[in-house]
Amino acid sequence: RCGRTVSPGGRFRVVECAAALVEQSGFGRYLINAGGDMAMNGLGPDGQPWRVGVRRAEDANALALVVQNDGTRLGIATSGSYERGAHIRDPRLDQPVTELASTTVVGPSLAEADAFATVLYVMGVEGLGWLAEHHPDYVGCGMTWDRELLMSPGFHRHLAG
């Protein structure tokens, strides 16, 4: 059930609630975006996959990659420090995370994609292997500060051609 209040850190809840309401209203095709937390289902109005851009950390006007769906329900979430500063801390070290500029996770649930994007961001490059091994329905991509894109196996199938 959708509540009436959502914490600032819970944008994914708003998106998932909106997606549930859209589906309950009989619409099976949608793309909902709230501050970079996205849910999509079906194909776009032109019959083509929904496509969303993931920005470069150092340039809000440049895309690092474009993610698309295959007509199935997907959640897409990105974590990073390029907009809000070093607000994510590694609990193992009690230090701000700095290895990657951002991480993006794609999978069937936006709530889990959001959580996994933050976990990947904290774990750094080694998190991509962890995600592939422990959560095979989700794929991730890490962007380094020097623009290198590091992807878990299968992430490429969500890239727009």
Side-chain angles (χ1 to χ4, degrees):
R1 182 167 180 247
C2 297
R4 293 188 182 261
T5 60
V6 176
S7 69
R11 288 186 310 258
F12 71 87
R13 289 185 189 99
V14 172
V15 174
E16 287 204 324
C17 183
L21 291 172
V22 168
E23 289 176 2
Q24 290 169 9
S25 298
F27 298 96
R29 179 172 81 184
Y30 57 82
L31 170 61
I32 303 168
N33 179 359
D37 288 342
M38 292 169 266
M40 60 178 68
N41 192 39
L43 299 173
D46 59 358
Q48 298 298 310
W50 292 109
R51 292 179 173 196
V52 295
V54 177
R55 67 164 274 201
R56 288 201 174 282
E58 78 287 353
D59 184 351
N61 296 313
L63 295 179
L65 53 99
V66 177
V67 176
Q68 69 182 21
N69 74 339
D70 59 2
T72 61
R73 188 171 204 258
L74 284 182
I76 302 172
T78 298
S79 288
S81 61
Y82 52 84
E83 285 189 358
R84 295 173 46 197
H87 68 287
I88 301 172
R89 298 181 74 81
D90 184 333
R92 300 168 294 187
L93 306 172
D94 193 30
Q95 296 287 325
V97 175
T98 59
E99 180 180 358
L100 296 172
S102 70
T103 55
T104 298
V105 172
V106 178
S109 162
L110 175 57
E112 290 186 359
D114 183 66
F116 293 147
T118 302
V119 169
L120 253 60
Y121 188 69
V122 170
M123 290 180 75
V125 174
E126 71 184 62
L128 294 167
W130 170 86
L131 183 67
E133 182 178 342
H134 297 286
H135 302 281
D137 290 343
Y138 292 82
V139 292
C141 177
M143 184 183 347
T144 67
W145 288 103
D146 60 355
R147 299 182 177 186
E148 183 179 3
L149 296 175
L150 309 167
M151 300 178 194
S152 68
F155 190 89
H156 66 278
R157 75 176 183 267
H158 294 292
L159 292 176

